Amino acid sequence: MGYRIDCLQYANWSEKIFRQMRDGGVDAVHVTIAYHETFREMVLQVERWNRYFERFPELIMKARTAADIDRAKAEGRTAIFFGFQNPSPIEDDIGLVEICHDLGARFMQLTYNNQSLLATGCYEEDDTGLTRMGRQVVAEMNRVGLVVDMSHSAERSTLEAIEHSSRPIAITHANPGFWHPALRNKSDTVLRALAETGGMLGFSLYPHHLRGKTDCTLESFCRMIADTAEMMGVERLGVGTDLCQDQPDSVVEWMRVGRWTKEIDYGEGSASNAGFPPMPDWFQDNRDFGNIESGLRAVGFAEAEVAGVMGGNWYRFFAESFGPQ
Amino acid sequence: MGYRIDCLQYANWSEKIFRQMRDGGVDAVHVTIAYHETFREMVLQVERWNRYFERFPELIMKARTAADIDRAKAEGRTAIFFGFQNPSPIEDDIGLVEICHDLGARFMQLTYNNQSLLATGCYEEDDTGLTRMGRQVVAEMNRVGLVVDMSHSAERSTLEAIEHSSRPIAITHANPGFWHPALRNKSDTVLRALAETGGMLGFSLYPHHLRGKTDCTLESFCRMIADTAEMMGVERLGVGTDLCQDQPDSVVEWMRVGRWTKEIDYGEGSASNAGFPPMPDWFQDNRDFGNIESGLRAVGFAEAEVAGVMGGNWYRFFAESFGPQ
């Protein structure tokens, strides 16, 4: 059997969710451990995960390499990889890139929605591309094996990251704008540049990224994947569900507002729909990966293609990306 | 040829010193990266070392396991292990023990000279032994493979650490008090308890720990090692030179005073002898390990015993100590 890899989750972690990962046959998950956290605050999140690893060794394990996924699979556990959705944990210190990699970080977004020290986020009006520090940090990320993730970045910044990076980058959790023109979804230009450089796109199941949002059908989602495969090549595609299971609405507020404003910012939501939107009925939690797999078969993907999108393609990308250059 | 391992140095690191390590055939060095540093300040020291590893890959490499020493030896490099002379980098957070181990720390003193959150230092008047947090942290250090080092600790605290620790501990850099009764040297009671539990003693070459200080003879030093071998067993013995090469006197002041007092404290020195004392002429730097080796042979040690004291014993201890329990 192939791999099942989810390249983005940010759940309110619990034994229940870890057991659902096992029930869903999920071999590896890239989990977000920082949105706006400083270095020291991010370390507290690693400490929290270390306690999960100590408490639930039969369900999960810390992972650093693609080979760890095979070990996890053989032992019936889920391999957990860390990532940041913002470069806040490296503060203004390029030396922290290697330190964070040493602590297990394998993905870092150059921006969340706002301007960062490195690049421009997708909610800013003006996009000035990679900053001076941004170019230095991308090179350092390339050196140590920390993957550049541009899921929440603006167009020019994303294209410049693709061009400046000497290694393939990732958009771990977003969908094509041609299917659903959300601010967080990506243009054809970005998707083509990503594919041409060996990068990866992880399809998001966060309702604001879906055509029809919560009511999006599995068939529509899988047909979109087929259309994207035409454009990018199926081997460039994976899943990054953006599953935020069991999170209270206070957490989506932290994600959106952090400490950067005293005013409320609804991000992709609105005053009347401020919290986490309900997930589609065919993808409620980690037990539903089989539905996506069936949906891909139903729209005509061959078995090898299904296996690639469900995890094989991320496995190959992890194997090529997580070590020193 | 056997191993040459130095279990404590705190030099003003430079290419010159790294080249001297190679010239002296030194396979591994435990280097101090924290005296009074907070967690974040200690991380800056790891960053500094990461830059050394990047700049001088033909001379040194970061090491995490005993097996890394073999790799370094095969490649003609010196393996560098990190350690703290104070628990200040874990602050008041037991979760930082595993984080520090992940960053490469392999030894941590429970105290420098003063009372810490964990135990009592050798310069305090009253020694209350392991604190509540101290007992918890020793257990956590045992779990992850961070070695308890009591070189600068007071007698009762040291005996309680030996008793409470489920794994052998180390005194990386001190000498027996029976030879030279310095406050930092250790009683027969401590040395016997250390040996009975499989612990290790590293002999110091810091002049304040030597009989006759700077004028101590190689023969006197080696005869002391022979006497200690009678008491502890030769397999419990190694070298921890405490070499502080090329350091300006401002650094010995930081070691002694940190930020804990506004008054000057001379530690083992004095107002008239405040700086680093000159090293004995037979041990000036890393190129002089051969002198110790010859000295051990001259006082009658067999070849296998010499190899053990010069590094084989530390190698065995590293192999047993640096992984999870």
Side-chain angles (χ1 to χ4, degrees), chain B residues 150-192:
Chain B
M150 298 301 275
S151 298
H152 281 256
S153 300
E155 176 101 357
R156 178 181 158 192
S157 289
T158 304
L159 293 170
E160 288 188 15
I162 291 168
E163 188 182 355
H164 186 73
S165 178
S166 61
R167 303 176 79 168
I169 79 160
I171 292 174
T172 59
H173 59 302
N175 294 324
F178 69 71
W179 179 60
H180 179 62
L183 197 51
R184 275 270 282 100
N185 286 338
K186 304 303 173 190
S187 73
D188 292 3
T189 310
V190 162
L191 297 178
R192 287 204 175 92

mmCIF file of all heavy atoms in Angstrom, chain B residues 150-192:
data_model
loop_
_atom_site.group_PDB
_atom_site.id
_atom_site.type_symbol
_atom_site.label_atom_id
_atom_site.label_comp_id
_atom_site.label_asym_id
_atom_site.label_seq_id
_atom_site.Cartn_x
_atom_site.Cartn_y
_atom_site.Cartn_z
ATOM 1 N N MET B 150 28.973 17.185 37.907
ATOM 2 C CA MET B 150 28.993 17.846 39.206
ATOM 3 C C MET B 150 30.358 18.470 39.506
ATOM 4 O O MET B 150 30.703 18.654 40.679
ATOM 5 C CB MET B 150 28.584 16.854 40.304
ATOM 6 C CG MET B 150 27.161 16.314 40.144
ATOM 7 S SD MET B 150 25.859 17.615 40.145
ATOM 8 C CE MET B 150 25.570 17.819 41.924
ATOM 9 N N SER B 151 31.090 18.853 38.478
ATOM 10 C CA SER B 151 32.445 19.377 38.691
ATOM 11 C C SER B 151 32.486 20.568 39.651
ATOM 12 O O SER B 151 33.415 20.693 40.442
ATOM 13 C CB SER B 151 33.062 19.792 37.351
ATOM 14 O OG SER B 151 33.184 18.690 36.498
ATOM 15 N N HIS B 152 31.510 21.457 39.553
ATOM 16 C CA HIS B 152 31.525 22.680 40.369
ATOM 17 C C HIS B 152 30.532 22.622 41.535
ATOM 18 O O HIS B 152 30.192 23.658 42.094
ATOM 19 C CB HIS B 152 31.210 23.897 39.489
ATOM 20 C CG HIS B 152 32.354 24.386 38.667
ATOM 21 N ND1 HIS B 152 33.079 25.520 38.986
ATOM 22 C CD2 HIS B 152 32.922 23.898 37.531
ATOM 23 C CE1 HIS B 152 34.021 25.720 38.066
ATOM 24 N NE2 HIS B 152 33.954 24.750 37.166
ATOM 25 N N SER B 153 30.053 21.432 41.867
ATOM 26 C CA SER B 153 29.000 21.334 42.893
ATOM 27 C C SER B 153 29.583 21.026 44.261
ATOM 28 O O SER B 153 30.701 20.535 44.395
ATOM 29 C CB SER B 153 27.988 20.259 42.484
ATOM 30 O OG SER B 153 27.397 20.604 41.249
ATOM 31 N N ALA B 154 28.783 21.275 45.282
ATOM 32 C CA ALA B 154 29.192 21.021 46.659
ATOM 33 C C ALA B 154 29.006 19.531 46.985
ATOM 34 O O ALA B 154 28.333 18.794 46.262
ATOM 35 C CB ALA B 154 28.386 21.889 47.613
ATOM 36 N N GLU B 155 29.613 19.116 48.106
ATOM 37 C CA GLU B 155 29.723 17.682 48.443
ATOM 38 C C GLU B 155 28.380 16.956 48.550
ATOM 39 O O GLU B 155 28.157 15.953 47.896
ATOM 40 C CB GLU B 155 30.501 17.566 49.772
ATOM 41 C CG GLU B 155 30.622 16.167 50.324
ATOM 42 C CD GLU B 155 31.990 15.534 50.053
ATOM 43 O OE1 GLU B 155 32.834 16.170 49.389
ATOM 44 O OE2 GLU B 155 32.204 14.398 50.520
ATOM 45 N N ARG B 156 27.489 17.484 49.390
ATOM 46 C CA ARG B 156 26.210 16.773 49.597
ATOM 47 C C ARG B 156 25.415 16.720 48.294
ATOM 48 O O ARG B 156 24.846 15.680 47.941
ATOM 49 C CB ARG B 156 25.395 17.473 50.692
ATOM 50 C CG ARG B 156 24.048 16.827 50.922
ATOM 51 C CD ARG B 156 23.231 17.551 51.993
ATOM 52 N NE ARG B 156 21.809 17.257 51.831
ATOM 53 C CZ ARG B 156 20.844 17.905 52.452
ATOM 54 N NH1 ARG B 156 21.135 18.908 53.302
ATOM 55 N NH2 ARG B 156 19.576 17.580 52.248
ATOM 56 N N SER B 157 25.389 17.836 47.581
ATOM 57 C CA SER B 157 24.670 17.870 46.302
ATOM 58 C C SER B 157 25.230 16.825 45.345
ATOM 59 O O SER B 157 24.476 16.138 44.634
ATOM 60 C CB SER B 157 24.765 19.259 45.667
ATOM 61 O OG SER B 157 23.991 20.189 46.391
ATOM 62 N N THR B 158 26.543 16.696 45.331
ATOM 63 C CA THR B 158 27.176 15.734 44.430
ATOM 64 C C THR B 158 26.797 14.307 44.809
ATOM 65 O O THR B 158 26.428 13.495 43.949
ATOM 66 C CB THR B 158 28.709 15.910 44.477
ATOM 67 O OG1 THR B 158 29.011 17.273 44.154
ATOM 68 C CG2 THR B 158 29.398 14.998 43.479
ATOM 69 N N LEU B 159 26.849 14.015 46.118
ATOM 70 C CA LEU B 159 26.497 12.661 46.555
ATOM 71 C C LEU B 159 25.028 12.360 46.268
ATOM 72 O O LEU B 159 24.673 11.247 45.870
ATOM 73 C CB LEU B 159 26.806 12.502 48.050
ATOM 74 C CG LEU B 159 28.308 12.544 48.385
ATOM 75 C CD1 LEU B 159 28.507 12.617 49.904
ATOM 76 C CD2 LEU B 159 29.038 11.334 47.796
ATOM 77 N N GLU B 160 24.166 13.359 46.444
ATOM 78 C CA GLU B 160 22.744 13.125 46.174
ATOM 79 C C GLU B 160 22.486 12.957 44.674
ATOM 80 O O GLU B 160 21.612 12.192 44.266
ATOM 81 C CB GLU B 160 21.899 14.286 46.735
ATOM 82 C CG GLU B 160 21.837 14.252 48.244
ATOM 83 C CD GLU B 160 20.858 15.252 48.836
ATOM 84 O OE1 GLU B 160 20.005 15.802 48.086
ATOM 85 O OE2 GLU B 160 20.950 15.494 50.050
ATOM 86 N N ALA B 161 23.239 13.676 43.856
ATOM 87 C CA ALA B 161 23.080 13.515 42.398
ATOM 88 C C ALA B 161 23.502 12.104 41.985
ATOM 89 O O ALA B 161 22.827 11.446 41.192
ATOM 90 C CB ALA B 161 23.904 14.559 41.651
ATOM 91 N N ILE B 162 24.619 11.644 42.542
ATOM 92 C CA ILE B 162 25.090 10.278 42.237
ATOM 93 C C ILE B 162 24.033 9.256 42.642
ATOM 94 O O ILE B 162 23.718 8.329 41.897
ATOM 95 C CB ILE B 162 26.432 9.998 42.963
ATOM 96 C CG1 ILE B 162 27.549 10.845 42.363
ATOM 97 C CG2 ILE B 162 26.768 8.505 42.936
ATOM 98 C CD1 ILE B 162 28.841 10.859 43.177
ATOM 99 N N GLU B 163 23.432 9.472 43.817
ATOM 100 C CA GLU B 163 22.455 8.514 44.328
ATOM 101 C C GLU B 163 21.142 8.591 43.550
ATOM 102 O O GLU B 163 20.534 7.573 43.234
ATOM 103 C CB GLU B 163 22.202 8.803 45.812
ATOM 104 C CG GLU B 163 21.340 7.736 46.447
ATOM 105 C CD GLU B 163 21.023 8.030 47.907
ATOM 106 O OE1 GLU B 163 21.561 9.028 48.454
ATOM 107 O OE2 GLU B 163 20.218 7.268 48.485
ATOM 108 N N HIS B 164 20.703 9.810 43.260
ATOM 109 C CA HIS B 164 19.393 9.982 42.629
ATOM 110 C C HIS B 164 19.422 9.616 41.149
ATOM 111 O O HIS B 164 18.406 9.164 40.603
ATOM 112 C CB HIS B 164 18.922 11.436 42.806
ATOM 113 C CG HIS B 164 17.535 11.657 42.327
ATOM 114 N ND1 HIS B 164 16.426 11.198 42.999
ATOM 115 C CD2 HIS B 164 17.065 12.265 41.204
ATOM 116 C CE1 HIS B 164 15.334 11.523 42.331
ATOM 117 N NE2 HIS B 164 15.685 12.167 41.240
ATOM 118 N N SER B 165 20.552 9.822 40.497
ATOM 119 C CA SER B 165 20.621 9.570 39.061
ATOM 120 C C SER B 165 20.534 8.067 38.780
ATOM 121 O O SER B 165 21.231 7.270 39.415
ATOM 122 C CB SER B 165 21.932 10.138 38.501
ATOM 123 O OG SER B 165 22.017 9.860 37.114
ATOM 124 N N SER B 166 19.720 7.687 37.818
ATOM 125 C CA SER B 166 19.604 6.273 37.465
ATOM 126 C C SER B 166 20.697 5.855 36.481
ATOM 127 O O SER B 166 20.824 4.679 36.156
ATOM 128 C CB SER B 166 18.228 5.995 36.855
ATOM 129 O OG SER B 166 18.063 6.757 35.675
ATOM 130 N N ARG B 167 21.476 6.824 36.002
ATOM 131 C CA ARG B 167 22.585 6.517 35.087
ATOM 132 C C ARG B 167 23.858 7.094 35.693
ATOM 133 O O ARG B 167 23.810 8.059 36.480
ATOM 134 C CB ARG B 167 22.332 7.151 33.712
ATOM 135 C CG ARG B 167 21.005 6.694 33.113
ATOM 136 C CD ARG B 167 20.691 7.378 31.801
ATOM 137 N NE ARG B 167 21.426 6.782 30.692
ATOM 138 C CZ ARG B 167 21.150 7.042 29.402
ATOM 139 N NH1 ARG B 167 20.189 7.906 29.079
ATOM 140 N NH2 ARG B 167 21.829 6.462 28.440
ATOM 141 N N PRO B 168 25.023 6.557 35.325
ATOM 142 C CA PRO B 168 26.285 7.091 35.861
ATOM 143 C C PRO B 168 26.444 8.574 35.529
ATOM 144 O O PRO B 168 26.021 9.025 34.456
ATOM 145 C CB PRO B 168 27.340 6.256 35.130
ATOM 146 C CG PRO B 168 26.648 4.993 34.748
ATOM 147 C CD PRO B 168 25.227 5.392 34.447
ATOM 148 N N ILE B 169 27.008 9.321 36.449
ATOM 149 C CA ILE B 169 27.229 10.745 36.217
ATOM 150 C C ILE B 169 28.721 10.982 35.958
ATOM 151 O O ILE B 169 29.532 10.062 35.979
ATOM 152 C CB ILE B 169 26.715 11.612 37.387
ATOM 153 C CG1 ILE B 169 27.694 11.600 38.566
ATOM 154 C CG2 ILE B 169 25.299 11.179 37.831
ATOM 155 C CD1 ILE B 169 27.505 12.769 39.503
ATOM 156 N N ALA B 170 29.070 12.252 35.736
ATOM 157 C CA ALA B 170 30.469 12.590 35.486
ATOM 158 C C ALA B 170 30.896 13.790 36.323
ATOM 159 O O ALA B 170 30.078 14.647 36.674
ATOM 160 C CB ALA B 170 30.673 12.912 34.002
ATOM 161 N N ILE B 171 32.176 13.786 36.643
ATOM 162 C CA ILE B 171 32.849 14.999 37.107
ATOM 163 C C ILE B 171 33.893 15.241 36.027
ATOM 164 O O ILE B 171 34.926 14.576 35.995
ATOM 165 C CB ILE B 171 33.439 14.801 38.514
ATOM 166 C CG1 ILE B 171 32.289 14.663 39.518
ATOM 167 C CG2 ILE B 171 34.380 15.949 38.877
ATOM 168 C CD1 ILE B 171 32.715 14.321 40.928
ATOM 169 N N THR B 172 33.550 16.138 35.090
ATOM 170 C CA THR B 172 34.345 16.204 33.861
ATOM 171 C C THR B 172 35.697 16.860 34.058
ATOM 172 O O THR B 172 36.612 16.605 33.282
ATOM 173 C CB THR B 172 33.597 16.988 32.759
ATOM 174 O OG1 THR B 172 33.315 18.315 33.240
ATOM 175 C CG2 THR B 172 32.302 16.288 32.355
ATOM 176 N N HIS B 173 35.822 17.749 35.074
ATOM 177 C CA HIS B 173 37.080 18.490 35.207
ATOM 178 C C HIS B 173 37.318 18.876 36.659
ATOM 179 O O HIS B 173 36.892 19.923 37.127
ATOM 180 C CB HIS B 173 37.115 19.711 34.271
ATOM 181 C CG HIS B 173 36.024 20.714 34.475
ATOM 182 N ND1 HIS B 173 34.696 20.416 34.389
ATOM 183 C CD2 HIS B 173 36.089 22.051 34.736
ATOM 184 C CE1 HIS B 173 33.979 21.511 34.578
ATOM 185 N NE2 HIS B 173 34.787 22.514 34.810
ATOM 186 N N ALA B 174 38.001 18.004 37.371
ATOM 187 C CA ALA B 174 38.398 18.254 38.766
ATOM 188 C C ALA B 174 39.430 17.199 39.127
ATOM 189 O O ALA B 174 39.588 16.198 38.411
ATOM 190 C CB ALA B 174 37.195 18.141 39.693
ATOM 191 N N ASN B 175 40.123 17.420 40.241
ATOM 192 C CA ASN B 175 41.119 16.454 40.694
ATOM 193 C C ASN B 175 40.779 15.999 42.107
ATOM 194 O O ASN B 175 39.922 16.604 42.770
ATOM 195 C CB ASN B 175 42.522 17.083 40.662
ATOM 196 C CG ASN B 175 42.960 17.383 39.232
ATOM 197 O OD1 ASN B 175 42.649 16.628 38.310
ATOM 198 N ND2 ASN B 175 43.660 18.503 39.043
ATOM 199 N N PRO B 176 41.442 14.956 42.589
ATOM 200 C CA PRO B 176 41.176 14.497 43.958
ATOM 201 C C PRO B 176 41.723 15.491 44.989
ATOM 202 O O PRO B 176 42.848 15.994 44.856
ATOM 203 C CB PRO B 176 41.945 13.172 44.050
ATOM 204 C CG PRO B 176 42.225 12.775 42.633
ATOM 205 C CD PRO B 176 42.362 14.060 41.877
ATOM 206 N N GLY B 177 40.912 15.719 46.022
ATOM 207 C CA GLY B 177 41.346 16.597 47.109
ATOM 208 C C GLY B 177 42.527 16.027 47.872
ATOM 209 O O GLY B 177 43.294 16.782 48.469
ATOM 210 N N PHE B 178 42.688 14.678 47.860
ATOM 211 C CA PHE B 178 43.816 14.083 48.627
ATOM 212 C C PHE B 178 45.159 14.539 48.079
ATOM 213 O O PHE B 178 46.173 14.531 48.762
ATOM 214 C CB PHE B 178 43.715 12.551 48.681
ATOM 215 C CG PHE B 178 43.942 11.818 47.370
ATOM 216 C CD1 PHE B 178 45.208 11.748 46.782
ATOM 217 C CD2 PHE B 178 42.883 11.177 46.731
ATOM 218 C CE1 PHE B 178 45.410 11.064 45.579
ATOM 219 C CE2 PHE B 178 43.090 10.482 45.531
ATOM 220 C CZ PHE B 178 44.352 10.437 44.955
ATOM 221 N N TRP B 179 45.159 14.978 46.811
ATOM 222 C CA TRP B 179 46.416 15.405 46.157
ATOM 223 C C TRP B 179 46.602 16.906 46.279
ATOM 224 O O TRP B 179 47.693 17.396 46.576
ATOM 225 C CB TRP B 179 46.358 14.998 44.676
ATOM 226 C CG TRP B 179 47.544 15.368 43.835
ATOM 227 C CD1 TRP B 179 48.833 14.965 44.018
ATOM 228 C CD2 TRP B 179 47.543 16.206 42.676
ATOM 229 N NE1 TRP B 179 49.642 15.484 43.032
ATOM 230 C CE2 TRP B 179 48.869 16.262 42.184
ATOM 231 C CE3 TRP B 179 46.557 16.908 41.980
ATOM 232 C CZ2 TRP B 179 49.237 16.992 41.055
ATOM 233 C CZ3 TRP B 179 46.906 17.622 40.858
ATOM 234 C CH2 TRP B 179 48.246 17.665 40.395
ATOM 235 N N HIS B 180 45.507 17.637 46.107
ATOM 236 C CA HIS B 180 45.563 19.097 46.213
ATOM 237 C C HIS B 180 44.207 19.580 46.733
ATOM 238 O O HIS B 180 43.210 19.513 46.019
ATOM 239 C CB HIS B 180 45.866 19.711 44.840
ATOM 240 C CG HIS B 180 45.918 21.205 44.850
ATOM 241 N ND1 HIS B 180 46.842 21.911 45.595
ATOM 242 C CD2 HIS B 180 45.143 22.145 44.220
ATOM 243 C CE1 HIS B 180 46.655 23.213 45.419
ATOM 244 N NE2 HIS B 180 45.625 23.377 44.594
ATOM 245 N N PRO B 181 44.173 20.026 47.983
ATOM 246 C CA PRO B 181 42.889 20.286 48.643
ATOM 247 C C PRO B 181 42.243 21.614 48.227
ATOM 248 O O PRO B 181 41.945 22.453 49.068
ATOM 249 C CB PRO B 181 43.253 20.274 50.128
ATOM 250 C CG PRO B 181 44.672 20.737 50.170
ATOM 251 C CD PRO B 181 45.322 20.238 48.893
ATOM 252 N N ALA B 182 41.986 21.805 46.937
ATOM 253 C CA ALA B 182 41.259 22.996 46.476
ATOM 254 C C ALA B 182 39.764 22.781 46.684
ATOM 255 O O ALA B 182 39.282 21.651 46.712
ATOM 256 C CB ALA B 182 41.551 23.235 45.001
ATOM 257 N N LEU B 183 39.050 23.857 46.814
ATOM 258 C CA LEU B 183 37.606 23.794 47.005
ATOM 259 C C LEU B 183 36.942 23.034 45.848
ATOM 260 O O LEU B 183 35.931 22.363 46.038
ATOM 261 C CB LEU B 183 37.072 25.233 47.071
ATOM 262 C CG LEU B 183 35.695 25.482 47.640
ATOM 263 C CD1 LEU B 183 35.526 24.811 48.996
ATOM 264 C CD2 LEU B 183 35.469 26.990 47.787
ATOM 265 N N ARG B 184 37.510 23.154 44.662
ATOM 266 C CA ARG B 184 36.937 22.498 43.486
ATOM 267 C C ARG B 184 37.339 21.028 43.352
ATOM 268 O O ARG B 184 36.752 20.316 42.532
ATOM 269 C CB ARG B 184 37.356 23.267 42.219
ATOM 270 C CG ARG B 184 36.491 24.434 41.874
ATOM 271 C CD ARG B 184 35.341 24.000 40.967
ATOM 272 N NE ARG B 184 35.828 23.834 39.587
ATOM 273 C CZ ARG B 184 36.120 22.648 39.040
ATOM 274 N NH1 ARG B 184 35.972 21.538 39.741
ATOM 275 N NH2 ARG B 184 36.542 22.581 37.797
ATOM 276 N N ASN B 185 38.351 20.611 44.097
ATOM 277 C CA ASN B 185 38.719 19.205 44.001
ATOM 278 C C ASN B 185 37.826 18.351 44.898
ATOM 279 O O ASN B 185 37.062 18.896 45.702
ATOM 280 C CB ASN B 185 40.207 19.031 44.305
ATOM 281 C CG ASN B 185 41.065 19.537 43.133
ATOM 282 O OD1 ASN B 185 40.581 19.620 41.998
ATOM 283 N ND2 ASN B 185 42.314 19.900 43.415
ATOM 284 N N LYS B 186 37.843 17.030 44.698
ATOM 285 C CA LYS B 186 36.803 16.166 45.267
ATOM 286 C C LYS B 186 37.309 15.259 46.372
ATOM 287 O O LYS B 186 38.439 14.755 46.327
ATOM 288 C CB LYS B 186 36.183 15.313 44.150
ATOM 289 C CG LYS B 186 35.611 16.141 42.992
ATOM 290 C CD LYS B 186 34.559 17.162 43.441
ATOM 291 C CE LYS B 186 34.123 18.077 42.318
ATOM 292 N NZ LYS B 186 33.296 19.216 42.814
ATOM 293 N N SER B 187 36.433 15.001 47.343
ATOM 294 C CA SER B 187 36.776 14.163 48.492
ATOM 295 C C SER B 187 36.845 12.690 48.085
ATOM 296 O O SER B 187 36.262 12.273 47.082
ATOM 297 C CB SER B 187 35.701 14.316 49.567
ATOM 298 O OG SER B 187 34.522 13.650 49.156
ATOM 299 N N ASP B 188 37.493 11.898 48.926
ATOM 300 C CA ASP B 188 37.525 10.448 48.696
ATOM 301 C C ASP B 188 36.110 9.876 48.660
ATOM 302 O O ASP B 188 35.814 8.980 47.870
ATOM 303 C CB ASP B 188 38.310 9.744 49.813
ATOM 304 C CG ASP B 188 39.799 10.067 49.772
ATOM 305 O OD1 ASP B 188 40.209 10.886 48.920
ATOM 306 O OD2 ASP B 188 40.542 9.506 50.603
ATOM 307 N N THR B 189 35.235 10.411 49.518
ATOM 308 C CA THR B 189 33.854 9.909 49.580
ATOM 309 C C THR B 189 33.168 10.080 48.235
ATOM 310 O O THR B 189 32.512 9.163 47.727
ATOM 311 C CB THR B 189 33.060 10.693 50.651
ATOM 312 O OG1 THR B 189 33.813 10.694 51.854
ATOM 313 C CG2 THR B 189 31.688 10.090 50.865
ATOM 314 N N VAL B 190 33.309 11.285 47.658
ATOM 315 C CA VAL B 190 32.695 11.550 46.355
ATOM 316 C C VAL B 190 33.311 10.651 45.284
ATOM 317 O O VAL B 190 32.592 10.033 44.483
ATOM 318 C CB VAL B 190 32.842 13.038 45.978
ATOM 319 C CG1 VAL B 190 32.629 13.257 44.481
ATOM 320 C CG2 VAL B 190 31.861 13.887 46.783
ATOM 321 N N LEU B 191 34.632 10.557 45.273
ATOM 322 C CA LEU B 191 35.295 9.773 44.217
ATOM 323 C C LEU B 191 34.899 8.303 44.295
ATOM 324 O O LEU B 191 34.670 7.661 43.268
ATOM 325 C CB LEU B 191 36.817 9.933 44.312
ATOM 326 C CG LEU B 191 37.332 11.355 44.099
ATOM 327 C CD1 LEU B 191 38.858 11.398 44.262
ATOM 328 C CD2 LEU B 191 36.922 11.913 42.737
ATOM 329 N N ARG B 192 34.776 7.775 45.520
ATOM 330 C CA ARG B 192 34.388 6.364 45.666
ATOM 331 C C ARG B 192 32.941 6.150 45.217
ATOM 332 O O ARG B 192 32.639 5.183 44.518
ATOM 333 C CB ARG B 192 34.564 5.902 47.117
ATOM 334 C CG ARG B 192 36.018 5.723 47.504
ATOM 335 C CD ARG B 192 36.181 4.738 48.679
ATOM 336 N NE ARG B 192 37.605 4.520 48.928
ATOM 337 C CZ ARG B 192 38.328 5.234 49.795
ATOM 338 N NH1 ARG B 192 37.756 6.189 50.520
ATOM 339 N NH2 ARG B 192 39.626 4.974 49.943
#
